[in-house]
Amino acid sequence: MDWADLIGRVASSGDREAFKGLFEHFAPRIKALMLKAGCSADEAEEIAQSTLIAVWRKASQFDPSTSGAAAWIFTIARNLRIDMFRSKARADRVRGVAELPDTPDPAEPVDAVLSRVQDAARITSAIELLSAEQSRVVRLSFIEERPHPEIAALLGIPLGTVKSRIRLAMNRLRELLDEEA
């Protein structure tokens, strides 16, 4: 079977039969690979379906001169698996932080706790002084720990713009925090 041809037919005319052939061949293989990689059955199924949806949507981006069809499809699946695990890890961290007690560790010196609280307050105040665009990318990048490409997609701006805003925001934060010190 010429998988590149099927992807080309999906890209050029939305050929459902070509897509069906791709789905029937690759979905079970992706699911099996994800199960071997440590995903649960539900996660493996979700990744397989998401991968094939991405193939349908991004078929026009496939370039057979740079990689084979199977390699392209399995790369999409691998990236989706990585995204899923990052998202779960981020949610676990947020949940873990939310579950932390408000009381400080009794073994930690009081001055260290006060210093940390004061630093957090200074940083929060400085972030509020940034432009709305800079504040948003700083919060997404450093507080929510989202990767830059995800921030770009979320905000609908180019990746370079995200990186520029972060760089400018960090320079401005440095200035603001140095003024307070």
Side-chain angles (χ1 to χ4, degrees):
M1 183 66 65
D2 184 1
W3 305 119
D5 179 58
L6 293 181
I7 294 172
R9 289 175 26 205
V10 169
S12 65
S13 63
D15 186 330
R16 291 180 183 273
E17 284 301 312
F19 181 73
K20 181 180 177 187
L22 290 166
F23 193 95
E24 288 175 349
H25 178 78
F26 285 102
R29 287 164 175 77
I30 293 168
K31 185 175 179 180
L33 180 66
M34 294 302 120
L35 289 169
K36 287 180 185 175
C39 293
S40 70
D42 288 341
E43 291 169 338
E45 182 72 28
E46 182 179 337
I47 291 170
Q49 289 183 7
S50 295
T51 299
L52 274 298
I53 290 169
V55 168
W56 175 263
R57 290 183 179 155
K58 297 178 179 186
S60 62
Q61 295 175 11
F62 173 66
D63 182 1
S65 67
T66 59
S67 69
W72 182 69
I73 292 170
F74 282 108
T75 298
I76 293 170
R78 181 184 71 74
N79 291 342
L80 288 171
R81 187 185 108 239
I82 290 168
D83 290 346
M84 177 183 283
F85 282 116
R86 282 182 180 162
S87 178
K88 282 176 59 177
R90 190 177 306 120
D92 290 345
R93 276 196 309 273
V94 169
R95 192 173 25 263
V97 168
E99 294 170 0
L100 290 177
D102 289 335
T103 58
D105 179 1
E108 188 174 15
V110 174
D111 59 335
V113 173
L114 287 175
S115 176
R116 192 174 61 249
V117 169
Q118 289 170 344
D119 288 347
R122 285 179 52 225
I123 292 168
T124 300
S125 296
I127 290 173
E128 290 173 0
L129 296 174
L130 297 174
S131 71
E133 294 87 7
Q134 290 177 349
S135 174
R136 179 92 172 133
V137 295
V138 166
R139 289 177 196 282
L140 289 169
S141 181
F142 295 101
I143 296 171
E144 295 184 23
E145 297 181 358
R146 294 180 185 241
H148 295 172
E150 184 180 322
I151 295 169
L154 181 70
L155 299 178
I157 58 176
L159 179 59
T161 302
V162 170
K163 292 180 179 187
S164 294
R165 286 182 185 171
I166 289 173
R167 188 184 80 256
L168 292 170
M170 296 309 291
N171 288 339
R172 180 69 178 133
L173 285 172
R174 192 174 299 113
E175 291 171 10
L176 291 168
L177 294 172
D178 284 347
E179 288 173 8
E180 291 180 18

